[in-house]
Amino acid sequence: MGEEQYDEEQSTEVQKKFLFVFKRAPHGTIYPYEGLEVILIMAAYDQVISAVFTDDGVYCLKKGQETAAIGVKEFSITFKVLEQYGVEHLYVDKEALSARGMTEADLVTGVEVVDKETIANVIREQDVVLPF
Amino acid sequence: MGEEQYDEEQSTEVQKKFLFVFKRAPHGTIYPYEGLEVILIMAAYDQVISAVFTDDGVYCLKKGQETAAIGVKEFSITFKVLEQYGVEHLYVDKEALSARGMTEADLVTGVEVVDKETIANVIREQDVVLPF
Amino acid sequence: MKFGILIMDGPYQHQASDSAYHFANAAVAKGHEIAGIFFYNDGVNNTTSLMTPPQDDRHISKRWSDFVQKNGIDAIVCIAAAKRRGITDANLIKGARISGLGQLTELGIKADRLVTFGD
Amino acid sequence: MKFGILIMDGPYQHQASDSAYHFANAAVAKGHEIAGIFFYNDGVNNTTSLMTPPQDDRHISKRWSDFVQKNGIDAIVCIAAAKRRGITDANLIKGARISGLGQLTELGIKADRLVTFGD
Amino acid sequence: MLFTVNKSPFTAGNLKSCLRYVTKESPILLYEDGVYGAMAGTALEPEMKETLKTNRVYALREDLKARGVANTIEGIQLVDYAGFVDLVAEHNICPWI
Amino acid sequence: MLFTVNKSPFTAGNLKSCLRYVTKESPILLYEDGVYGAMAGTALEPEMKETLKTNRVYALREDLKARGVANTIEGIQLVDYAGFVDLVAEHNICPWI
């Protein structure tokens, strides 16, 4: 990650709630990689940032990814540092995770594994939702 | 259709069985449009050409498509002329069609509505399969 | 109302760019303001001045160029995505500018709605 | 054995181009011949010489250029798809040529296998 | 919150996944290949009718017309691009693409 | 005839649709996001085990590794790109992408 320079804290008068929805698997498309890039930049702007992982997006957090043989960057480790970047919540859909044979122990970082009703309520509160 | 010039008959010593599999809906992606372009060019080469329509590919043949308001070309009519281009068979998957609430009467041209076993046998006989 | 538009897929391959274009036109026709259009991922391919589609097809990059210039809309092309895909100031449509992801955040803050189009 | 390869999606956005590249390398390493690589749809975007990805990322068009030149492989870029996306002789990677869909048919006839990579 | 779906529900999971999260006050807009979900007489119709009991469902007229979908499920409301803009003006948007 | 599948079976219909057409002698190769179908312990495992009774199923090692999929369903054979090439050399290919 980190092709752009991560700026110092930006000050704006408005504070909004931004939600990043990770729905796609890593490596098959560039979407989740680029979603993470946006979060890292946005973190400098004093906004309220959360992320939801559902559908194949839960695979983004899977432990043990080694991408050398397909020649692309391994970026799951970057999800670990999101808390330091001020991302308030990382929600993972419980059913999406279990349908894929995984539990929280399979994930690279601590998250909140929640039911669909919780995610529905999180979505409802947002000002901006960005799908990746 | 028809950005390229359709050549006069090409002679080659080899004759192969080519199957075009249309699996995607029209207009959402350029795939089926481009598949049709390939068929029109290939028709000049004295090969054995067939086409299978399954999954959302059956929508390619739906009657009544009017694309003016989304500003793209309407190409379903071109499927009507494939027979004149020497395409031997147009197979449509019966279940794919009925799951989508359609029957042969909804299609722009005469086709062979067949079961999955028939399509499986058609696929098995091919030399080259091209997915669109 | 102020709209922001985010486009994540390229021209011709998917309908995303077409949908965004028709949405943006309808928004302007209704008297809304478009605070910015951000081209990201393959979306940056919408902004090459080099495309020469067939005459009977839509010219996607020219259409965007005309639209943003006519309506004074800020059209921002992600620099990292552009570099990966060969979009530079030398082949960029008029009316667009290349900049960073910070601009996307600012658009999200500034606009009342941020609408994403992609595949 | 003679392989033909058809690539229908662009660089970076989907894995298709990467998969095709690794497959092609493995085929050559096994002593097979690659009778041709045909770039179609967004696949033509793999052949722009203008891309400048970050230094720590793969340079997809350079990689294709080096590979086809080193192995004497015919790399064909669909003219109609290229025009829609701004790929011209002026920005085409070395080792590739722009031509028509007839070349894809000929590749399908000539090769023992035609393998398609796309999204 | 307006949910928008642009994929065919017969081959992609987007609509199904979106329906897990919509709350009662959330309208759903089908556009691009998503409009196939609005067609009458399909295997999906019973599920869409269930959804219509609790949620408003819209489908984009331009995309329906482009795809030749003339008969839509009763209760699904058709909007044009201007109506799409109105919906986004009324609601925050959650693009379920 | 070798069928190749590159999409996740949990969100795309490719694998399901491919399985309708495979005949007994047809091997299936999972690659790219398709390899998630090879993972053990998922909701799809019973169906994959059913398929394994009649068909050989392969999964691309490089893509499994990239995605951190270490435990695969018993009976699924792992191949690298060289093995992918061998499979295509042995069979005609039907890319179910």
Side-chain angles (χ1 to χ4, degrees):
Chain A
M1 307 306 295
E3 292 157 34
E4 292 194 33
Q5 205 175 327
Y6 303 126
D7 302 334
E8 296 299 303
E9 190 78 13
Q10 305 284 323
S11 73
T12 57
E13 290 168 12
V14 185
Q15 194 185 48
K16 285 189 173 180
K17 289 186 167 184
F18 284 84
L19 180 70
F20 289 76
V21 180
F22 290 89
K23 296 172 61 265
R24 294 175 176 84
H27 317 313
T29 76
I30 205 168
Y31 271 83
Y33 174 88
E34 294 286 28
L36 204 40
E37 290 278 5
V38 178
I39 293 182
L40 295 177
I41 296 290
M42 191 177 283
Y45 284 79
D46 192 31
Q47 302 295 306
V48 182
I49 304 176
S50 304
V52 160
F53 299 82
T54 185
D55 296 356
D56 287 337
V58 302
Y59 289 130
C60 292
L61 298 174
K62 192 165 188 329
K63 273 183 190 164
Q65 300 179 44
E66 295 174 35
T67 56
I70 61 168
V72 303
K73 288 194 207 173
E74 205 296 282
F75 58 94
S76 70
I77 47 168
T78 310
F79 287 108
K80 285 189 190 177
V81 302
L82 290 185
E83 205 180 315
Q84 295 159 43
Y85 276 78
V87 175
E88 305 236 330
H89 296 282
L90 299 180
Y91 301 101
V92 172
D93 186 287
K94 191 176 184 154
E95 274 182 57
L97 197 61
S98 67
R100 288 166 181 75
M102 299 196 287
T103 67
E104 199 175 344
D106 294 304
L107 308 183
V108 290
T109 186
V111 296
E112 299 164 54
V113 178
V114 295
D115 58 19
K116 63 179 182 178
E117 288 77 15
T118 304
I119 292 181
N121 287 331
V122 168
I123 291 173
R124 193 162 53 170
E125 291 167 1
Q126 304 301 316
D127 295 308
V128 181
V129 181
L130 290 163
F132 283 101
Chain B
M1 309 306 290
E3 293 157 33
E4 291 193 35
Q5 204 174 329
Y6 302 125
D7 301 334
E8 295 302 302
E9 190 78 14
Q10 305 283 325
S11 73
T12 58
E13 289 167 12
V14 185
Q15 194 185 48
K16 286 190 171 179
K17 289 187 167 184
F18 285 84
L19 180 68
F20 289 77
V21 180
F22 290 89
K23 295 172 61 267
R24 293 175 176 83
H27 318 314
T29 77
I30 205 168
Y31 271 81
Y33 174 88
E34 295 286 27
L36 204 41
E37 290 277 6
V38 178
I39 293 183
L40 296 177
I41 296 289
M42 191 176 283
Y45 284 80
D46 193 30
Q47 302 295 307
V48 182
I49 304 176
S50 304
V52 159
F53 299 83
T54 185
D55 296 356
D56 288 337
V58 302
Y59 289 130
C60 293
L61 299 172
K62 192 164 191 326
K63 274 183 188 164
Q65 299 179 43
E66 295 174 36
T67 56
I70 62 167
V72 303
K73 288 194 206 173
E74 205 294 283
F75 58 94
S76 70
I77 47 168
T78 310
F79 286 108
K80 285 189 189 179
V81 302
L82 290 185
E83 205 180 315
Q84 296 160 40
Y85 276 78
V87 175
E88 304 234 331
H89 295 283
L90 300 180
Y91 301 101
V92 172
D93 187 285
K94 192 176 183 155
E95 274 182 59
L97 198 61
S98 68
R100 288 164 181 77
M102 297 195 288
T103 67
E104 200 176 341
D106 294 304
L107 307 183
V108 290
T109 186
V111 295
E112 299 165 52
V113 178
V114 296
D115 57 20
K116 64 179 182 180
E117 288 77 14
T118 304
I119 292 180
N121 288 330
V122 168
I123 291 173
R124 193 162 52 170
E125 292 167 1
Q126 303 301 316
D127 295 307
V128 182
V129 181
L130 290 162
F132 283 101
Chain C
M1 186 169 263
K2 280 187 201 172
F3 287 95
I5 293 175
L6 170 60
I7 301 179
M8 307 226 267
D9 268 281
Y12 304 108
Q13 188 89 346
H14 300 103
Q15 202 186 338
S17 167
D18 293 297
S19 297
Y21 180 75
H22 294 300
F23 180 89
N25 272 271
V28 167
K30 287 224 127 199
H32 294 294
E33 182 190 335
I34 296 187
I37 302 176
F38 194 90
F39 295 92
Y40 196 30
N41 296 5
D42 262 6
V44 301
N45 289 328
N46 287 290
T47 65
T48 172
S49 60
L50 301 176
M51 64 172 68
T52 53
Q55 289 209 328
D56 61 346
D57 198 357
R58 64 221 190 276
H59 191 309
I60 291 183
S61 69
K62 183 176 184 310
R63 196 167 77 169
W64 278 121
S65 179
D66 292 347
F67 177 73
V68 298
Q69 289 184 89
K70 183 181 166 194
N71 297 290
I73 295 168
D74 191 14
I76 311 141
V77 181
C78 172
I79 185 163
K83 282 188 171 178
R84 279 204 175 82
R85 290 159 181 92
I87 309 294
T88 67
D89 282 328
N91 61 21
L92 189 69
I93 50 169
K94 279 190 191 162
R97 64 187 176 97
I98 295 176
S99 189
L101 282 174
Q103 298 288 307
L104 173 59
T105 301
E106 290 183 13
L107 181 58
I109 295 169
K110 186 165 50 181
D112 299 302
R113 300 282 185 272
L114 183 60
V115 188
T116 304
F117 292 91
D119 178 45
Chain D
M1 186 168 260
K2 281 188 200 170
F3 287 95
I5 292 175
L6 170 59
I7 302 179
M8 307 227 267
D9 268 280
Y12 304 107
Q13 186 88 347
H14 300 103
Q15 203 186 337
S17 168
D18 294 295
S19 297
Y21 180 76
H22 294 300
F23 179 89
N25 273 272
V28 167
K30 288 226 127 201
H32 294 294
E33 181 190 335
I34 296 187
I37 302 176
F38 195 91
F39 295 92
Y40 196 31
N41 296 4
D42 262 6
V44 302
N45 289 329
N46 286 290
T47 66
T48 173
S49 59
L50 301 176
M51 64 173 67
T52 52
Q55 289 208 329
D56 62 345
D57 198 358
R58 65 221 190 276
H59 190 309
I60 291 185
S61 69
K62 184 176 183 309
R63 196 167 77 168
W64 278 120
S65 179
D66 292 347
F67 177 74
V68 299
Q69 288 185 89
K70 184 181 166 194
N71 297 290
I73 295 167
D74 191 15
I76 310 142
V77 180
C78 171
I79 186 164
K83 282 189 170 178
R84 279 204 175 82
R85 290 158 181 93
I87 308 294
T88 67
D89 282 328
N91 61 22
L92 189 69
I93 51 169
K94 278 187 192 167
R97 64 188 176 96
I98 295 176
S99 189
L101 282 173
Q103 299 288 305
L104 174 58
T105 299
E106 291 183 12
L107 182 58
I109 294 168
K110 186 166 49 183
D112 300 302
R113 300 283 185 271
L114 184 60
V115 188
T116 305
F117 292 91
D119 178 46
Chain E
M1 185 64 76
L2 171 73
F3 285 74
T4 57
V5 175
N6 72 337
K7 300 288 190 314
S8 164
F10 297 98
T11 47
N14 302 54
L15 179 62
K16 197 172 173 183
S17 143
C18 153
L19 291 178
R20 296 181 61 235
Y21 300 123
V22 290
T23 44
K24 276 183 199 163
E25 75 288 0
S26 298
I28 299 155
L29 171 68
L30 308 173
Y31 71 111
E32 295 180 1
D33 289 345
V35 299
Y36 290 120
M39 189 168 151
T42 75
L44 190 77
E45 183 166 357
E47 197 178 340
M48 291 307 291
K49 283 189 168 164
E50 228 18 72
T51 302
L52 282 163
K53 288 180 185 169
T54 48
N55 294 77
R56 278 173 294 147
V57 179
Y58 298 88
L60 192 67
R61 199 187 300 269
E62 286 87 342
D63 281 322
L64 286 165
K65 202 167 179 184
R67 288 159 178 83
V69 180
N71 295 320
T72 53
I73 296 165
E74 204 186 318
I76 291 183
Q77 296 169 62
L78 308 192
V79 292
D80 56 12
Y81 277 108
F84 187 172
V85 170
D86 289 343
L87 284 169
V88 178
E90 283 165 41
H91 307 269
N92 276 325
I93 179 169
C94 179
W96 211 256
I97 62 171
Chain F
M1 185 65 76
L2 170 73
F3 286 74
T4 56
V5 176
N6 72 337
K7 300 288 190 312
S8 164
F10 297 98
T11 46
N14 301 54
L15 179 61
K16 196 173 174 183
S17 143
C18 154
L19 291 178
R20 296 182 61 234
Y21 300 123
V22 290
T23 44
K24 276 181 199 164
E25 76 289 359
S26 297
I28 300 156
L29 170 68
L30 308 173
Y31 72 111
E32 295 180 1
D33 289 345
V35 300
Y36 290 119
M39 188 168 153
T42 74
L44 191 76
E45 183 166 359
E47 197 178 342
M48 291 307 291
K49 284 190 166 162
E50 226 20 71
T51 301
L52 282 163
K53 289 182 183 167
T54 48
N55 294 77
R56 279 172 294 148
V57 180
Y58 298 88
L60 192 67
R61 202 188 299 270
E62 287 86 343
D63 281 324
L64 286 165
K65 202 167 180 186
R67 287 159 180 82
V69 180
N71 295 319
T72 52
I73 296 166
E74 203 185 318
I76 291 182
Q77 296 169 61
L78 308 193
V79 292
D80 56 12
Y81 278 109
F84 186 172
V85 169
D86 289 342
L87 284 169
V88 178
E90 283 166 41
H91 306 270
N92 276 325
I93 179 169
C94 180
W96 211 255
I97 62 175

